[in-house]
Amino acid sequence: STLFVEFMGEFFSNVARYPKYLISIIVGGLVALLGPLFKNIVNPFTAIALVSSLVSAIITFFFVLKAMTNPVL
């Protein structure tokens, strides 16, 4: 019985670490992808492309969430 409790404690300790890894991977990926764009933000073409991409992503995210919550039957 104590062996089972000890095993489950170790199991939940390991599972609790996974969100930290997920956040680290997401932040690292965003930094690697967006780093070169922010370096060249002084270029007007890059600034316009970055802003329009951000607006497009927000609009797409809005419509996807709207379709998921209010499906058309």
Side-chain angles (χ1 to χ4, degrees):
S1 176
T2 58
L3 181 63
F4 178 73
V5 172
E6 186 178 314
F7 173 73
M8 290 307 290
E10 185 180 334
F11 172 77
F12 287 119
S13 173
N14 285 335
V15 170
R17 285 188 268 178
Y18 285 120
K20 290 186 237 176
Y21 295 133
L22 178 64
I23 291 170
S24 298
I25 289 170
I26 291 172
V27 170
L30 287 175
V31 168
L33 289 174
L34 299 178
L37 289 178
F38 284 117
K39 252 196 281 188
N40 297 324
I41 198 76
V42 293
N43 183 353
F45 180 75
T46 306
I48 291 170
L50 185 63
V51 170
S52 61
S53 296
L54 182 63
V55 169
S56 175
I58 290 170
I59 290 171
T60 302
F61 189 67
F62 171 76
F63 281 119
V64 167
L65 287 179
K66 187 175 177 183
M68 288 172 66
T69 57
N70 302 319
V72 178
L73 300 176

